[in-house]
Amino acid sequence: MIKIQVDMDTCQHYGQCVFEAPKIFHLNDDDKLEYLAEVDDDERGNVEAAVDVCPMQAIRIVE
Amino acid sequence: MTTAPVVIVGASMGGLRTAEALRRAGYSGPITIIGDEVHAPYNRPPLSKEVLSTEVTHEAVAFPARAATADVEWMLGRRVVSANLEAHTVTTADGAVVPYRALVVATGLRPRRLPVPPLAGRHAVRTLDDAMALRTELIPGARVVVVGSGFIGCEVAATAMKLGCAVTIVSPSAEPLIRPLGRMLGAELRRRHEASGIAFRMGRTVAALEGGSVLTGVVLDDGTSLDADVVIEALGSEANTEWLDGSGLDVSDGVLVDDAMRAIGADNTVRDDVFAVGDVARFPNRMFDAEPRRIEHWNIPTDTGKRAGAVLAAQLAGTADEPVSQSFTPMPAFWSIQLNVDLQAYGLPGLADSERVLEGDLAGDVIIGYYRRETLVGVVGLGMKAALVPYRRQIAGD
């Protein structure tokens, strides 16, 4: 399993992660980010891509 | 004989993403990254915001290190001054000659400066050290003149305002952000910033700075003078390509590359041993047309670095045709936080010949569409983040 942490004080809900990993991240009806905190290892590539595209660099993979 | 490394010049976001992509695509040979800053790659957007207002360390803005690139050799605090594309070497300012198997140019941009003598109180914001030096002077009551009204100028002005400074923006443009965002939104952003207390002197340039060794004022081209403790030069950027002058590459505006990020040589031939990524790369994006452009938006170093790394790794493995044949049409994406303005954009609004409100109200939350010959080429939202997504798809042609 991969553990994901998003710093919600830093997150500005721009939703770039949603394009890279739509199974893990999404914007709700109030334009706020929601995400799964634990995902399968085979999602690592998508999670790393989501980390890369976050303009606030708010997403961390907890190793 | 040992194999020469892939040498990446520029310890930047684009350089780092290229190295990571090389590893991801299976290249396991040596990689050397040379950078003139002493810091490992870090995220620049906070430099015009958080780094100016609070004590922020390099660690807080550095990109996370990944296991795959743990064996990269870093040469930090070393400026590359020349390249010899025939001999396959680059040379640093301290005389080190570094051989390469392939060269990746990721040297980015530097701020354009006012053509005036050095003076305490003059600042620009490009590097972490720049921002840390400016932070100590943005104290409550400081009189701050920001020269330039692009994203850096407007963001720095907004941060200085928040810190209690008295802020004036001086710009030759008719409206702030007019080139990337158009006149309608530029005027609205000026209105919002004026309501927050930022003064604007639009259509004006700086004629001179006043002060003996320390800045006391800024003289404009109409003869008026503004008292100032700090001047921040946000006049746009110049590409760092002097070290490639005379190399045979087209460096007339950054490094000209094809859509696989491979440099175009003197006789219009594509080089398979020199790549460019990030702000410094001038590449065609067929999402819009065949015209090569440099794109100074945040996501471009990542997108072009991933592209260059994938193509180069395949090429070193003898299978370059596969990634090269795939189209590369990265969606420009950018963001800006300025006081109560929270802006998000996709595409290239600057290409448009017309613009109109698509949703909402210009005075509140709004989405503006930018059209070139009635094709949507850009979209900008103030608020309304989820509602932007369908327009992003429309620009991409999905």
Side-chain angles (χ1 to χ4, degrees):
Chain A
M1 296 292 277
I2 301 170
K3 285 191 177 161
I4 301 168
Q5 260 178 19
V6 180
D7 179 344
M8 296 308 290
D9 294 331
T10 302
C11 173
Q12 293 290 326
H13 316 278
Y14 289 130
Q16 298 311 290
C17 49
V18 178
F19 295 107
E20 300 295 337
K23 286 188 213 159
I24 301 167
F25 301 94
H26 88 107
L27 288 181
N28 69 20
D29 293 341
D30 297 325
D31 279 358
K32 300 295 182 206
L33 184 74
E34 294 175 352
Y35 67 101
L36 302 175
E38 281 194 1
V39 298
D40 287 338
D41 286 324
D42 58 9
E43 285 286 330
R44 176 172 291 271
N46 293 333
V47 177
E48 285 190 351
V51 170
D52 288 353
V53 299
C54 173
M56 306 308 294
Q57 290 290 291
I59 308 172
R60 288 276 184 278
I61 298 171
V62 185
E63 301 288 355
Chain B
M1 194 185 118
T2 55
T3 315
V6 170
V7 169
I8 300 171
V9 182
S12 53
M13 175 160 66
L16 176 65
R17 297 297 180 231
T18 304
E20 290 171 344
L22 280 165
R23 289 286 185 255
R24 200 178 299 116
Y27 171 74
S28 58
I31 300 174
T32 299
I33 302 181
I34 310 175
D36 63 346
E37 288 185 67
V38 297
H39 306 294
Y42 56 88
N43 197 28
R44 294 190 196 278
L47 301 184
S48 54
K49 302 179 262 309
E50 293 86 349
V51 178
L52 296 180
S53 49
T54 51
E55 294 267 341
V56 173
T57 60
H58 171 258
E59 195 184 8
V61 291
F63 292 113
R66 291 190 172 139
T69 45
D71 60 351
V72 165
E73 184 187 350
W74 296 89
M75 293 173 61
L76 298 177
R78 310 280 290 276
R79 177 185 295 270
V80 170
V81 292
S82 65
N84 184 330
L85 303 192
E86 279 70 49
H88 276 216
T89 58
V90 297
T91 301
T92 62
D94 52 8
V97 177
V98 182
Y100 66 79
R101 183 176 181 191
L103 175 66
V104 180
V105 178
T107 39
L109 312 174
R110 63 176 177 274
R112 191 172 294 133
R113 303 301 300 261
L114 290 167
V116 296
L119 198 61
R122 288 183 65 193
H123 291 269
V125 181
R126 172 74 185 176
T127 67
L128 183 59
D129 294 348
D130 289 342
M132 286 177 164
L134 176 57
R135 177 174 66 211
T136 61
E137 299 194 23
L138 294 183
I139 54 177
R143 298 160 302 179
V144 175
V145 173
V146 177
V147 187
S149 59
F151 284 109
I152 303 288
C154 287
E155 289 180 4
V156 170
T159 303
M161 197 68 215
K162 228 159 68 178
L163 291 170
C165 303
V167 182
T168 304
I169 291 179
V170 174
S171 170
S173 303
E175 297 291 355
L177 291 161
I178 192 166
R179 195 164 51 92
L181 300 180
R183 183 177 288 266
M184 177 170 65
L185 187 52
E188 171 60 19
L189 293 177
R190 179 173 52 78
R191 192 192 65 72
R192 294 189 191 198
H193 288 332
E194 283 173 340
S196 300
I198 297 177
F200 285 84
R201 299 293 301 272
M202 303 308 292
R204 295 268 75 92
T205 59
V206 171
L209 300 183
E210 293 179 312
S213 58
V214 176
L215 178 76
T216 58
V218 176
V219 183
L220 307 188
D221 59 343
D222 61 355
T224 58
S225 178
L226 303 168
D227 292 339
D229 305 302
V230 179
V231 62
I232 301 166
E233 300 166 33
L235 301 143
S237 305
E238 293 168 344
N240 290 320
T241 55
E242 286 78 1
W243 62 285
L244 293 167
D245 285 347
S247 66
L249 301 181
D250 182 337
V251 290
S252 53
D253 176 22
V255 179
L256 180 64
V257 295
D258 70 359
D259 74 355
M261 314 320 293
R262 300 176 297 187
I264 310 290
D267 43 5
N268 259 346
T269 53
V270 175
R271 293 196 69 118
D272 61 7
D273 56 353
V274 183
F275 290 67
V277 301
D279 293 333
V280 79
R282 183 158 60 98
F283 67 99
N285 186 340
R286 285 180 178 75
M287 183 181 293
F288 303 101
D289 49 39
E291 177 73 27
R293 293 185 184 86
R294 288 194 310 98
I295 302 180
E296 297 178 19
H297 292 319
W298 181 84
N299 68 308
I300 293 299
T302 292
D303 289 340
T304 56
K306 287 181 173 178
R307 172 70 166 170
V311 171
L312 177 53
Q315 189 172 281
L316 295 174
T319 56
D321 291 350
E322 193 197 323
V324 168
S325 66
Q326 294 166 7
S327 68
F328 177 63
T329 55
M331 171 66 73
F334 53 101
W335 304 268
S336 189
I337 301 171
Q338 305 165 21
L339 293 165
N340 49 358
V341 172
D342 183 3
L343 177 153
Q344 180 170 20
Y346 294 113
L348 291 175
L351 298 182
D353 50 50
S354 67
E355 59 208 31
R356 57 180 179 264
V357 171
L358 298 175
E359 294 186 34
D361 171 6
L362 192 59
D365 284 355
V366 66
I367 293 177
I368 298 171
Y370 295 79
Y371 295 83
R372 181 171 64 176
R373 295 183 295 275
E374 289 308 303
T375 298
L376 189 69
V377 290
V379 65
V380 178
L382 303 182
M384 308 185 83
K385 285 165 180 160
L388 272 183
V389 173
Y391 299 110
R392 182 189 195 272
R393 290 201 192 98
Q394 195 181 328
I395 296 167
D398 290 351

